[in-house]
Amino acid sequence: MQLLLFTPLLSLILSCTEGRFLPQANSRLVVVRKGIEATRNNEGWEPGANPNEGYPDQPAWSFDKAPPKASLQSVGPQKKDRSGTAAAWILNIVEGAHWLTLPPTFLGSYAIMLNHDFWLNMFGGSELRVLLFCLAPLIGFVGGLPPIVMHTYESWQVAPFRNPVEGEFVLQDYNNGWMRAVAYKYLFIIQGVGLVMANHGYNGFKTVGISLALILLSYVGDQSKKATFKINDQPVFPVPIVAIPLFLWGVIFNLLAAISLAGHISDNPLVHWGLIVAPLLTAAGGVVEGLIAESTFNQWIHLGAVIMLIAGASLQAYSFFQVPGSFSVVSS
């Protein structure tokens, strides 16, 4: 019995040696060896169903990137060659920059938690409002995860899109237009949720019914109608129209909350203006990435957009750390 239990483990170990020590008389070990060799040789799978193939592939360390996509060699009406900006080292910088959006958003939430008593007093003793305001910056990063998944699938190249739903699609030539649409849907919904969380944390719950209705609409509404338009003869902004009201609602009230909070900071201009500029800088980064980088397909512009996102989140985090020590009550 012990020998039977040990045999599968032994088979796995010996198979890693390319079978040099496999006893051919042992049928169990021979079957394991043949199975592993079939996997390596792309055998035993239905055509196109091998889960071991990737993009890039063989090898596929995190720093390995696929060659520039064929569509980057002739972009737009002027047929510009953007493949030179899709070198692996540039794409690795772009990828690293995306993950660098996490520390400042985390610190923004930590700054609220660190000064819990200050915010609790400011929010009328409501722990729920403090919690919503605390989590809002970090939710902003969570909203960026769907595009990060999309970029990983694309080997971190911004390139012309084609929709595989409409016909043939080759990943080595184009980016996946339908995947972009799905990523944008969740980006705008999750970012919208984070913004309304900040709004209700700061302003209370008088309009929470509207927020909940907009969240519901953004998710269950008709996703087939998109707000897409063209820039540089390229389709951009494939956001479901039903998700836009939630996002705009959150953006407007979040900016008004930032202006209101900045009104209580009079002795520290950096914090005062930091509270106002931070959401504007973050929004500008999103616009540059979604409208300019994804219509020019210049990877350096993509990087610049992400740097703006990092700067906005960092400025907000710094301001949140400083607010308790700079806050003053404005007499009405």
Side-chain angles (χ1 to χ4, degrees):
M1 181 65 179
Q2 292 178 341
L3 179 60
L4 291 176
L5 293 174
F6 179 70
T7 297
L9 178 60
L10 179 62
S11 302
L12 180 61
I13 295 173
L14 293 181
S15 66
C16 295
T17 68
E18 304 292 340
R20 286 176 291 180
F21 306 110
L22 287 175
Q24 298 301 311
N26 190 325
S27 60
R28 289 195 183 94
L29 300 186
V30 172
V31 169
V32 171
R33 177 191 177 192
K34 289 183 177 179
I36 292 178
E37 287 180 349
T39 299
R40 290 172 179 167
N41 295 328
N42 200 27
E43 299 174 358
W45 304 99
E46 293 293 330
N50 188 349
N52 300 301
E53 295 295 329
Y55 181 75
D57 189 39
Q58 298 178 0
W61 297 88
S62 291
F63 49 79
D64 288 314
K65 298 294 182 288
K69 302 195 176 202
S71 59
L72 288 174
Q73 297 175 6
S74 180
V75 172
Q78 299 179 349
K79 307 299 181 183
K80 292 183 178 180
D81 186 352
R82 296 296 192 187
S83 59
T85 68
W89 68 273
I90 300 175
L91 299 176
N92 283 321
I93 294 175
V94 172
E95 179 181 5
H98 277 74
W99 288 111
L100 285 178
T101 59
L102 174 58
T105 53
F106 173 84
L107 289 173
S109 292
Y110 176 67
I112 305 300
M113 186 197 73
L114 190 65
N115 297 287
H116 167 271
D117 292 344
F118 168 82
W119 297 104
L120 184 65
N121 179 66
M122 183 175 178
F123 296 155
S126 173
E127 292 282 4
L128 179 57
R129 289 176 61 183
V130 176
L131 178 64
L132 292 175
F133 199 68
C134 175
L135 291 177
L138 195 55
I139 295 298
F141 172 79
V142 174
L145 288 178
I148 286 178
V149 172
M150 177 187 71
H151 289 322
T152 303
Y153 169 82
E154 300 163 346
S155 195
W156 290 92
Q157 301 179 42
V158 285
F161 292 87
R162 292 294 183 271
N163 192 339
V165 178
E166 294 184 337
E168 294 185 3
F169 166 74
V170 179
L171 182 59
Q172 289 84 347
D173 295 340
Y174 295 98
N175 281 348
N176 189 322
W178 175 240
M179 172 167 276
R180 176 174 66 156
V182 173
Y184 267 61
K185 168 188 173 179
Y186 287 104
L187 167 66
F188 273 74
I189 290 176
I190 298 173
Q191 293 277 7
V193 169
L195 291 168
V196 298
M197 286 172 61
N199 169 43
H200 293 300
Y202 188 83
N203 291 313
F205 302 105
K206 292 181 179 180
T207 59
V208 70
I210 298 176
S211 296
L212 292 175
L214 292 177
I215 292 172
L216 184 64
L217 172 66
S218 68
Y219 189 78
V220 305
D222 182 7
Q223 308 291 318
S224 66
K225 303 298 187 296
K226 305 289 195 301
T228 309
F229 56 94
K230 282 189 175 184
I231 295 181
N232 297 322
D233 203 33
Q234 300 292 331
V236 295
F237 206 66
V239 181
I241 292 176
V242 293
I244 294 178
L246 168 66
F247 188 75
L248 290 178
W249 176 263
V251 166
I252 292 171
F253 281 94
N254 188 58
L255 181 59
L256 292 176
I259 294 173
S260 172
L261 183 58
H264 293 277
I265 310 297
S266 57
D267 297 333
N268 193 328
L270 178 58
V271 176
H272 173 90
W273 289 108
L275 290 167
I276 299 173
V277 171
L280 297 175
L281 192 56
T282 301
V287 169
V288 171
E289 177 164 359
L291 301 186
I292 301 178
E294 292 192 358
S295 65
T296 63
F297 310 113
N298 186 322
Q299 318 304 321
W300 288 115
I301 294 178
H302 190 191
L303 176 61
V306 181
I307 290 174
M308 294 172 72
L309 297 176
I310 296 171
S314 299
L315 187 57
Q316 183 183 65
Y318 170 79
S319 300
F320 282 166
F321 275 112
Q322 302 300 318
V323 163
S326 306
F327 189 87
S328 60
V329 178
V330 178
S331 58
S332 56

